[in-house]
Amino acid sequence: MQTGDRPGEPRGARDGDRTGESRDGGRGDRTGESRDGGRGDRTGGPLEVSRGDETDESRGAASGDEPREKCGVVGISLSGREAARPTYYALYALQHRGQDSAGIVTHDGFQQHDHVDMGLVGDAFGADDLADLAGSTGIGHVRYPTAGSVDKSCAQPFTVSFNSGSLGLSHNGNLVNADDLRDELARMGHAFTSDGDTEVIAHDLARNLLDGDLLTAVRETMSRIHGSYSLTVMHDDRVLGVRDPRGNRPLCLGEVEEGYVIASESAAIDVLDGELLRDVRPGEAVLLDADGEGYESRQLFDADTTAHCFFEHVYFARPDSVIDGTLVYEARRELGRALWRESGIDTDVVMPVPDSGRAFASGYADAAQEAGAGVEFAEGLMKNRYVGRTFIMPTQDERERAVRLKLNPIRSTVEGKSVTLIDDSIVRGTTSTQLVELLRDAGAESVHVRIGAPAIVAPCYFGIDMATREELLAADRSVEEIRAAVGADSLAYLSVDAVADALEERRDDLCLGCVTGEYPYDVAGEATDRDVERPSVDRVAEADD
């Protein structure tokens, strides 16, 4: 099912799922008690913490010429069968969101089990690893770090153990007040194993669980953290999904045989033969029943505007995923059609930069042909799928050869012809420059570059690995200067308004920081595009002895 809307009420949904009210009819901003009668009340001893997240130093520039999403999350609760293998399959479907580490945490009703390791999902888990992950509830994570060290200590889910309970947490996004919150928690006696923001969330949530049930604790933590986050949380055998009040990172809810799934993208639900129910709403918490029979929805916070990341539709998400009610593939085709309307040029052939440029080029070519242009859509660049990010290129000559190893032109498609090359973005410009040169060497008479998004002029602070301002080609250059730098005969980007129209979103409901330099969260030293301020992290309680 390729829509986020489903007629009727899904099996096991609480009344609050459609109305913003909890199961007992209370308003979503009330804390209330969870179904287990406040199982989150803990008065045990010290916390045992394992696994950190990326360090502050590792949040730097990307290693390649493409932005990269850092994480994918999943949470599953089933009735009568183990959750580990379905979680494993769901992580496979989210592999594009992170390739350096993978992890799963499960709970069998008595104790927590976890396994994390480096590499792709298929490398991180063996049959014995999955067999050891007992329990019908689980959460999972795939991660792509930025720069800095890459080791098992950075893998997620992050786990915290109480004397009388356990907590697991998977995070997609990035907080902008993590340092302030970490300092405040350290003052209260918390010891940290990393500088990452995921550990900060885990510590704050664990502390709040000492004084209340899970939904109460989550609401208190949400009132203190600021930035982008979609989380799957496991507290004992209960799984919860939560999205930040502006909904920057995607998160959706699905129904599968004998249970429910929360995931970063609907493709993870599809791979389990499930049905997408809807997106998790910004500021909403969805708590799955431990027996897999239903779920409880609570609207914990409301914001006047959202801040959906438009780059999810442009680049990061799988084309077959539905995000915020829109099929990504169709969104990209519509962006391509808008690109033709704004800056189309009648060339002999239009071709995509594989793979993400394909849907843009298809929509662009369709719009061109409908307008009477003689543009032909063709696959003019063939991708070598066996050249990964770990390919060693120690010298400049070898780095320049890398694009030829990854992409090779079909000479008969371009020789003697005018070419329009469609891509989703230009970051540093290295790849675009090499591709233009490659097509000219293959005999193209002219090469015109069209980009299915606005120019990237500023970094992302919310969970996307993107270059610094100093490295961004468009940060301090005009379109004409960029055209000259990449060597194209012409260059055009899509406008911000066209992106909003194609996604059927108000401009005010999108995060556009990377293309405007104005952000929807309070980032130190940066401008904002709305009235927003960081929450206070101070607690009334005194520091622990």
Side-chain angles (χ1 to χ4, degrees), residues 216-229:
T216 304
V218 168
R219 188 182 192 281
E220 177 62 23
T221 292
M222 289 177 69
S223 72
R224 289 157 52 77
I225 60 179
H226 184 61
S228 167
Y229 54 91

Side-chain angles (χ1 to χ4, degrees), residues 63 89 213 225 279 308 417 442 480 503:
S63 58
Y89 293 146
D213 64 87
I225 60 179
D279 295 288
H308 297 150
K417 297 178 181 178
E480 172 57 25
L503 299 183

Side-chain angles (χ1 to χ4, degrees), residues 33-46:
E33 284 296 318
S34 61
R35 186 172 65 93
D36 60 9
R39 184 170 32 177
D41 297 340
R42 304 296 189 191
T43 57

Side-chain angles (χ1 to χ4, degrees), residues 148-184:
S149 61
V150 179
D151 55 41
K152 193 172 178 179
S153 68
C154 295
Q156 294 184 43
F158 195 94
T159 59
V160 176
S161 295
F162 305 82
N163 284 350
S164 54
S166 59
L167 179 70
L169 190 145
S170 295
H171 175 205
N172 175 210
N174 201 57
L175 303 186
V176 295
N177 70 335
D179 291 341
D180 294 340
L181 192 54
R182 183 187 299 108
D183 290 345
E184 193 266 352

Side-chain angles (χ1 to χ4, degrees), residues 54 56-71 144-147 173-174 248-249 309-316 424-429 451 453-475 493 511-519 526:
E54 70 273 13
D56 287 344
E57 290 79 6
S58 74
R59 297 180 191 142
S63 58
D65 194 38
E66 298 174 343
R68 289 185 172 91
E69 177 61 75
K70 289 205 290 188
C71 298
Y144 173 79
T146 52
N174 201 57
N248 184 252
R249 295 282 135 221
C309 173
F310 81 94
F311 235 78
E312 290 283 351
H313 288 93
V314 167
Y315 180 77
F316 295 121
D424 55 79
S425 60
I426 297 176
V427 183
R428 292 170 176 80
I451 304 299
I456 299 174
V457 300
C460 175
Y461 296 94
F462 313 126
I464 296 173
D465 177 16
M466 196 175 285
T468 63
R469 275 190 174 84
E470 291 72 21
E471 297 168 305
L472 291 169
L473 185 64
Y493 293 91
C511 177
L512 300 166
C514 64
V515 297
T516 64
E518 298 180 344
Y519 298 90
E526 299 285 4

Side-chain angles (χ1 to χ4, degrees), residues 1 10 20 76 90 105 184 205 235 249 286 292 341 348 374 431 461 464 498 510:
M1 185 176 182
I76 294 179
V105 174
E184 193 266 352
L205 183 56
H235 178 225
R249 295 282 135 221
V286 175
R341 291 192 294 267
D348 296 321
T431 299
Y461 296 94
I464 296 173
L510 294 173

Side-chain angles (χ1 to χ4, degrees), residues 81-386:
R81 62 188 178 109
E82 301 288 89
R85 192 164 290 274
T87 305
Y88 171 77
Y89 293 146
L91 291 179
Y92 250 117
L94 299 175
Q95 187 72 88
H96 59 290
R97 299 185 74 89
Q99 300 86 44
D100 278 278
S101 68
I104 294 174
V105 174
T106 63
H107 202 285
D108 62 9
F110 299 97
Q111 63 178 327
Q112 180 175 277
H113 309 273
D114 67 274
H115 177 82
V116 298
D117 211 338
M118 303 306 297
L120 301 174
V121 174
D123 299 323
F125 295 93
D128 291 342
D129 300 321
L130 294 175
D132 291 340
L133 293 168
S136 61
T137 57
I139 63 172
H141 189 270
V142 289
R143 179 175 182 266
Y144 173 79
T146 52
S149 61
V150 179
D151 55 41
K152 193 172 178 179
S153 68
C154 295
Q156 294 184 43
F158 195 94
T159 59
V160 176
S161 295
F162 305 82
N163 284 350
S164 54
S166 59
L167 179 70
L169 190 145
S170 295
H171 175 205
N172 175 210
N174 201 57
L175 303 186
V176 295
N177 70 335
D179 291 341
D180 294 340
L181 192 54
R182 183 187 299 108
D183 290 345
E184 193 266 352
L185 288 166
R187 180 185 65 82
M188 301 184 76
H190 289 251
F192 291 88
T193 62
S194 78
D195 291 328
D197 54 359
T198 300
E199 185 178 6
V200 172
I201 299 172
H203 272 269
D204 195 74
L205 183 56
R207 187 172 191 89
N208 291 329
L209 282 166
L210 298 173
D211 301 318
D213 64 87
L214 180 55
L215 286 171
T216 304
V218 168
R219 188 182 192 281
E220 177 62 23
T221 292
M222 289 177 69
S223 72
R224 289 157 52 77
I225 60 179
H226 184 61
S228 167
Y229 54 91
S230 282
L231 310 173
T232 52
V233 180
M234 173 173 282
H235 178 225
D236 292 338
D237 59 355
R238 299 298 299 276
V239 171
L240 176 140
V242 64
R243 200 174 178 192
D244 82 73
R246 297 198 183 274
N248 184 252
R249 295 282 135 221
L251 197 65
C252 61
L253 172 67
E255 184 176 357
V256 297
E257 184 179 0
E258 299 179 314
Y260 290 87
V261 180
I262 299 167
S264 292
E265 295 185 33
S266 63
I269 299 168
D270 294 338
V271 79
L272 300 177
D273 294 324
E275 184 175 12
L276 173 65
L277 299 180
R278 60 175 178 83
D279 295 288
V280 175
R281 291 183 284 266
E284 180 187 21
V286 175
L287 181 63
L288 305 184
D289 291 350
D291 58 9
E293 291 298 322
Y295 62 87
E296 179 178 353
S297 166
R298 191 73 65 86
Q299 190 68 37
L300 299 180
F301 286 91
D302 288 301
D304 53 351
T305 57
T306 62
H308 297 150
C309 173
F310 81 94
F311 235 78
E312 290 283 351
H313 288 93
V314 167
Y315 180 77
F316 295 121
R318 280 177 46 155
D320 53 336
S321 285
V322 176
I323 292 182
D324 293 318
T326 302
L327 179 64
V328 172
Y329 177 77
E330 291 300 337
R332 289 178 185 167
R333 277 183 47 82
E334 184 55 37
L335 290 166
R337 296 174 68 86
L339 190 58
W340 167 262
R341 291 192 294 267
E342 285 194 344
S343 61
I345 184 169
D346 194 351
T347 57
D348 296 321
V349 63
V350 56
M351 64 178 61
V353 176
D355 289 311
S356 59
R358 187 167 287 120
F360 294 94
S362 172
Y364 180 98
D366 282 356
Q369 291 163 5
E370 290 168 5
V375 174
E376 175 191 0
F377 174 84
E379 296 282 357
L381 291 167
M382 289 296 103
K383 185 175 182 179
N384 182 349
R385 301 182 186 280
Y386 299 96

